[in-house]
Amino acid sequence: MKKSLIALAAGAFALGAAEFVMMGILPQTAQAMNVSIPQAGRFISAYAIGVCVGALMLVFGRKTPPKRLIILFLALIVIGNGCSALSTSAIALTMSRFIAGLPHGAFFGTAAYIAKSTARPDKQAQAVAVTITGQTLANMLGVPGGTLLAEYLSWRAAFAFLAVWGAATILLSLRWLPNLPPVPDSGLRGQFHFLKRRGPWVILLAVFTGNAGLFCWWSYVSPWLTQAGGWSSSALSALMVLAGFGMVVGGLAGGALCDRWRHAGTAALGQTISFLGLVAIFLIPGSKLGSAILTFWVAFGLFFVSTPQQILMVDAGQGGGELIGGATIQVAFNLGNAVGSMLGGAALSATGMDYRFPALTGAPLALAAALLLLFYSHRLETKTDAVDRLQVVKV
């Protein structure tokens, strides 16, 4: 594995943990900030809104080499998570989470460009998948670790650890990232030229609706596991490891299939898996075994779609909009997170805190995402290089 991919994956780890750790420590932060569980959902939404705003940094940094951009984004990770650890009020924590989210979309857009640019043509999807694996490993190790810290020490320790990790990743990036030239400068407007076509908007709408549907339920996975699944709070860290393992396996499986088949078709398959999982959460009575299986199931589908969607948008932005194209995926992803968290909270409030109904609220949105991706694959992905990327296997 190239050392540059390790450095990028380390940065993705910090961002993935910062984004998802709040789901594991939501009860502790809500209690510490004197707010209810639905109100604490704003800490999740604030990060997601920061992602959307932060992507604009790439508009003004188009002449900056990708390596310098990555260093800037990592510095914001340190600042945002450090401030989160020191927050003493709900407002301060909300603002700190917003700052922590600023580099997210811009980082992944730039990291995907670096990974794709330094990989062989037949390994580009897997190179991007390795980078995203840092985010999935964060859910397998970082999020459960943060849940353990919140359970036995303090939720603040989780954010402090991420600030230190971000600082260490700056050193790795300075040493290992290649000095690639800036993307072709097509001017301020030229970066968004690809958005004049229909295809990118179909992908972005699919990402938004898919993640809004999933995060209706995923934002409240911790209380769902205890209330509907019957698990104790001390078991949540192990269940977050299980969820993270599902994300790792899903991300790698999606990347491997993406190198051999249609990108949008691969993403549609992942969204279908997630939709079926949400339906099952609502229909199947709560139990420890069932809740554990469904947690793995939905987590698998959640990251199965990441690599194909990321590559679709990087490719769509060719000619100067590659970084913006990659970043828009994260904007749509996290905008969907923010909306999904609010919809899930509204479903909880409307049903007397019945933790099955966020899944029911999100299922139609996940289905809509799968249908959009199928439409894209059928109508706009008819001429691909999928056949050229097939590998001959001699028996």
Side-chain angles (χ1 to χ4, degrees), residues 279-363:
V279 172
I281 288 169
F282 178 74
L283 295 177
I284 298 175
S287 67
K288 287 187 175 181
L289 179 60
S291 61
I293 292 173
L294 290 173
T295 298
F296 176 89
W297 182 345
V298 176
F300 177 92
L302 177 62
F303 273 86
F304 189 92
V305 303
S306 294
T307 296
Q309 291 177 162
Q310 193 79 51
I311 290 181
L312 279 167
M313 291 305 297
V314 172
D315 288 344
Q318 287 183 358
E322 291 91 343
L323 300 185
I324 293 295
T328 53
I329 279 291
Q330 297 297 324
V331 172
F333 184 101
N334 283 274
L335 187 60
N337 295 359
V339 172
S341 178
M342 290 185 286
L343 289 175
L348 286 175
S349 299
T351 59
M353 304 302 285
D354 188 330
Y355 283 95
R356 294 179 307 126
F357 278 89
L360 179 63
T361 304

Side-chain angles (χ1 to χ4, degrees), residues 112-201:
Y113 173 75
I114 294 174
K116 190 172 181 291
S117 299
T118 56
R120 285 167 30 192
D122 62 331
K123 297 290 184 181
Q124 290 180 347
Q126 293 180 58
V128 174
V130 168
T131 299
I132 296 175
T133 297
Q135 188 178 18
T136 57
L137 283 174
N139 290 278
M140 183 176 176
L141 302 175
V143 174
T147 305
L148 277 175
L149 288 173
E151 184 72 20
Y152 296 105
L153 186 60
S154 170
W155 60 269
R156 299 179 187 277
F159 292 116
F161 170 80
L162 292 176
V164 174
W165 182 278
T169 306
I170 291 177
L171 300 178
L172 290 180
S173 299
L174 287 170
R175 185 177 179 86
W176 288 346
L177 288 186
N179 291 305
L180 296 177
V183 298
D185 184 12
S186 56
L188 188 63
R189 294 178 59 185
Q191 293 182 90
F192 299 94
H193 183 75
F194 68 97
L195 292 176
K196 292 182 178 180
R197 301 193 301 272
R198 177 180 58 175
W201 287 106

Side-chain angles (χ1 to χ4, degrees), residues 3-232:
K3 291 182 178 179
S4 59
L5 295 183
I6 297 176
L8 294 173
F13 180 94
L15 289 166
E19 180 180 21
F20 287 97
V21 74
M22 186 58 72
M23 286 70 162
I25 65 175
L26 198 66
Q28 291 91 338
T29 53
Q31 183 179 8
M33 297 295 118
N34 295 314
V35 296
S36 66
I37 291 291
Q39 289 174 328
R42 298 171 186 171
F43 303 146
I44 300 171
S45 300
Y47 185 98
I49 294 171
V51 176
C52 300
V53 175
L56 295 176
M57 290 188 291
L58 292 176
V59 176
F60 304 102
R62 64 185 185 278
K63 298 181 181 180
T64 305
K67 181 175 179 177
R68 292 185 185 178
L69 289 174
I70 291 293
I71 301 302
L72 169 63
F73 303 148
L74 291 171
L76 286 173
I77 291 173
V78 174
I79 295 171
N81 286 286
C83 291
S84 296
L86 299 173
S87 297
T88 57
S89 67
I91 294 177
L93 182 56
T94 301
M95 293 178 63
S96 298
R97 290 284 292 167
F98 173 80
I99 295 172
L102 287 174
H104 191 111
F107 177 92
F108 277 101
T110 307
Y113 173 75
I114 294 174
K116 190 172 181 291
S117 299
T118 56
R120 285 167 30 192
D122 62 331
K123 297 290 184 181
Q124 290 180 347
Q126 293 180 58
V128 174
V130 168
T131 299
I132 296 175
T133 297
Q135 188 178 18
T136 57
L137 283 174
N139 290 278
M140 183 176 176
L141 302 175
V143 174
T147 305
L148 277 175
L149 288 173
E151 184 72 20
Y152 296 105
L153 186 60
S154 170
W155 60 269
R156 299 179 187 277
F159 292 116
F161 170 80
L162 292 176
V164 174
W165 182 278
T169 306
I170 291 177
L171 300 178
L172 290 180
S173 299
L174 287 170
R175 185 177 179 86
W176 288 346
L177 288 186
N179 291 305
L180 296 177
V183 298
D185 184 12
S186 56
L188 188 63
R189 294 178 59 185
Q191 293 182 90
F192 299 94
H193 183 75
F194 68 97
L195 292 176
K196 292 182 178 180
R197 301 193 301 272
R198 177 180 58 175
W201 287 106
V202 174
I203 295 297
L204 292 175
L205 183 59
V207 174
F208 169 76
T209 54
N211 282 278
L214 286 176
F215 275 81
C216 280
W217 170 76
W218 190 260
S219 298
Y220 307 96
V221 63
S222 292
W224 174 77
L225 285 167
T226 56
Q227 299 296 323
W231 293 95
S232 64

